[in-house]
Amino acid sequence: MPLAHRLTRPIFLPAAGRKWRIVFTHRALLAIEELTGLDAMRVNLTHLSARLLRAVLFAALREAGSEASVADAGAMLRPGAVERIRHALIAGWIASFPDPEPHASSDDDDSPPPPLSTIDAWAKARYDFRLSDEEWLSMTPRMLHAIALRDLERMRQSEMMLAVLCAHTVNSSFRAPRTPTQAAAYMLHPYPVKDAGPVFGETIMSVFADAPKRRTVNRI
Amino acid sequence: MTSNLTLAGRTFALAYDFNLIAEAEEEAGCNLLEALVNLNDLTAMQLRGLLFAAIVVPVTDPPTPHPSILEVGALMDVDTIGPITKALAIAYNLVPPEPAAPCPVLVPEPQGHPSATADGEGLVSGGK
């Protein structure tokens, strides 16, 4: 079984008397692009057209090992089966793509970046991660995203070491800032700030629990 | 299996073919899948596109040309919208159901390895 199938949540589509495992690798996405002319990494499956649905089904079946043609895929889309197949394909699509990024905080005006185009994903895989074409083709976008996250963590660790040194140098120098600078200020890819969350009574008590207790002295 | 529809004195045979619907989208200039899943809420372009894709031209000698999308549109008017929609629905219902196929199996993500499922199904290839 290909690694992409092992690392992707299993979604099965019963069709033509068999159960096909739905996984969208970059190879399948390129097949969709070839048939539709659309950038498969950016298509919106919630607004599928008939032409796109047929192409997505064909690519999914081909990826699962079927030798069905585009016309065969279209013939499978009978009136009673269209919705069922569409739902299975969407589930497989979601399983193959990375989870959506959480939205930027309200004070941060940056909107989330658009998803990578196919050519950008290929360039990233080749240049940043030194993957071969075949390795990239057999991976899902979710797998590539996992590598990207790991690479980001490696960059952050490297940046953090230099940033700590930088912050220490600034804070201990002549005319050091009154408020000490933080290491994160010197990082190109700072760690995301965790949401403080709501403050409850237990939160306050846990903070003061570590404070040294003061003895009451009777002054008589 | 076709249903018959008479428009402007001409009788057309209608049949469901998803491949023709997919090919007709470009000429119709609209999303015909949305129309297909909800025949009760069609725009004029969608109805014209579905009718265009559904018309079956009989094999004759010399060959009968398939009417263009504009010719199909010219056959339609306010009074024929109902009969056209009804004839399309009948044609779609004439398609035999797929041979016994169970519902799609959407396996929930397990706690451990992503490909492992309770019945071990995730460890079996879905390919041929």
Side-chain angles (χ1 to χ4, degrees), chain A residues 59 81 128 177:
Chain A
D128 293 354

Side-chain angles (χ1 to χ4, degrees), chain A residues 1-2 5-21 47-54 64-67 70-79 81-84 86-88 91, chain B residues 16-23 25-26 30-34 36-37 91-93 95-110 113-117 121-128:
Chain A
M1 188 194 299
H5 287 219
R6 290 179 179 273
L7 294 177
T8 304
R9 189 163 66 94
I11 306 289
F12 292 95
L13 171 66
R18 297 203 41 189
K19 286 204 305 183
W20 305 96
R21 187 159 183 168
H47 294 98
L48 275 173
S49 66
R51 189 180 175 84
L52 183 55
L53 176 63
R54 186 177 61 162
S66 168
E67 292 178 357
V70 178
D72 293 336
M76 288 180 191
L77 290 160
R78 295 157 185 257
V82 169
E83 277 299 285
R84 177 172 60 82
R86 192 167 72 103
H87 284 305
Chain B
Y16 172 89
D17 186 334
F18 193 89
N19 284 311
L20 291 179
I21 293 173
E23 299 299 333
E25 268 185 340
E26 197 171 338
C30 59
N31 189 332
L32 294 182
L33 182 64
E34 285 179 0
L36 197 62
V37 296
Y92 294 170
N93 283 329
V95 180
E98 196 179 11
C103 290
V105 183
L106 307 180
V107 182
E109 192 167 1
H113 193 275
S115 66
T117 59
E121 203 163 30
L123 300 174
V124 180
S125 171
K128 57 179 180 176

Side-chain angles (χ1 to χ4, degrees), chain A residues 42-158:
Chain A
R42 294 179 173 179
V43 297
N44 185 354
L45 253 66
T46 55
H47 294 98
L48 275 173
S49 66
R51 189 180 175 84
L52 183 55
L53 176 63
R54 186 177 61 162
V56 171
L57 176 60
F58 165 75
L61 291 175
R62 180 62 64 90
E63 185 65 32
S66 168
E67 292 178 357
S69 64
V70 178
D72 293 336
M76 288 180 191
L77 290 160
R78 295 157 185 257
V82 169
E83 277 299 285
R84 177 172 60 82
I85 292 174
R86 192 167 72 103
H87 284 305
L89 291 176
I90 290 175
W93 192 272
I94 290 170
S96 303
F97 275 74
D99 296 326
E101 296 283 336
H103 287 293
S105 57
S106 56
D107 56 336
D108 191 357
D109 205 18
D110 295 337
S111 56
L116 285 178
S117 66
T118 313
I119 188 79
D120 290 339
W122 170 81
K124 191 174 182 177
R126 289 283 290 172
Y127 187 82
D128 293 354
F129 308 140
R130 307 288 182 216
L131 297 175
S132 68
D133 286 345
E134 193 53 40
E135 285 172 323
W136 177 72
L137 284 171
S138 58
M139 291 170 80
T140 62
R142 182 183 279 264
M143 292 166 71
L144 190 67
H145 185 68
I147 293 179
L149 287 181
R150 184 64 208 121
D151 190 55
L152 179 63
E153 178 62 26
R154 181 194 56 75
M155 276 196 294
R156 279 175 171 158
Q157 288 177 4
S158 303

